[in-house]
Amino acid sequence: MENSCCSCFSAKAPLECGICKSAVCKKCAQFLEEDSFSFLAKIPQDLSFNVYCPQCFDAKVAPELDSYNDTMERAKSIMVFFKDQGKESRLMSRKEPPVQVVDCADREETLLRLAFFAAKANYNGLVDAELTSKKIREGSYQTHKWSGTAIPTHIDPKKVNR
């Protein structure tokens, strides 16, 4: 009976829950993709597995996944002012330390990662954003690695001139 599913008690349970280590069948198992929490700076141990039983998934993974997706949605609506937009952002606060990301695949991912860190800290804007790219050559193949820095801040949407 040691190989029976912890949820439906099926006799064949070839998978194992990452958190509680109990056997679970393919029908009951909850699978999590590897890049589900890719924008987090450090992924917690409980969220680093691929297979979960329904109880562990509902108790520990689903709330974190909902929170992560909510933060991602807020990050997509963050206002960004670049370093050369000093006239528009001169009155905005710059008290927080700048956030930095390195080795991103493209410009949009770099901006989204910066915005994600700002949204995670409950800010709604980025000022003095600066993005740089570096050419990487491997034989005849060439690609770019993007890096960026920005200062998270609170921006009053009513005061922003469009």
Side-chain angles (χ1 to χ4, degrees):
M1 189 96 188
E2 74 180 17
N3 238 2
S4 64
C5 178
C6 66
S7 182
C8 69
F9 304 109
S10 171
K12 290 187 177 182
L15 303 172
E16 182 180 86
C17 175
I19 296 175
C20 66
K21 305 296 184 204
S22 60
V24 64
C25 66
K26 287 183 182 179
K27 184 180 75 171
C28 297
Q30 299 284 332
F31 296 98
L32 193 65
E33 295 179 17
E34 289 181 15
D35 62 347
S36 294
F37 296 101
S38 65
F39 279 38
L40 290 178
K42 184 176 183 237
I43 299 174
Q45 182 66 29
D46 287 347
L47 304 177
S48 63
F49 303 108
N50 291 339
V51 179
Y52 298 93
C53 67
Q55 294 82 13
C56 290
F57 187 85
D58 291 341
K60 297 183 180 174
V61 180
E64 291 295 324
L65 190 59
D66 289 341
S67 173
Y68 177 83
N69 289 334
D70 181 51
T71 305
M72 186 62 73
E73 287 303 314
R74 285 187 291 131
K76 291 178 182 176
S77 65
I78 293 268
M79 292 182 270
V80 179
F81 292 94
F82 289 94
K83 203 163 192 105
D84 61 351
Q85 291 179 302
K87 186 174 180 181
E88 293 89 355
S89 67
R90 69 178 175 265
L91 299 176
M92 295 177 193
S93 173
R94 290 167 170 77
K95 294 178 184 175
E96 295 299 317
V99 292
Q100 180 178 12
V101 295
V102 293
D103 293 338
C104 295
D106 60 6
R107 185 178 192 274
E108 288 75 24
E109 180 189 349
T110 307
L111 268 178
L112 189 58
R113 284 186 185 272
L114 288 170
F116 182 82
F117 289 134
K120 187 133 178 86
N122 292 322
Y123 292 103
N124 68 347
L126 292 170
V127 293
D128 294 343
E130 187 174 20
L131 304 177
T132 58
S133 66
K134 180 174 60 170
K135 284 185 185 179
I136 306 293
R137 293 182 187 234
E138 296 175 9
S140 63
Y141 182 73
Q142 176 179 318
T143 186
H144 288 85
K145 292 285 185 179
W146 287 83
S147 302
T149 59
I151 300 171
T153 189
H154 291 289
I155 299 174
D156 186 4
K158 297 175 189 173
K159 294 182 180 178
V160 176
N161 293 334
R162 300 222 176 232

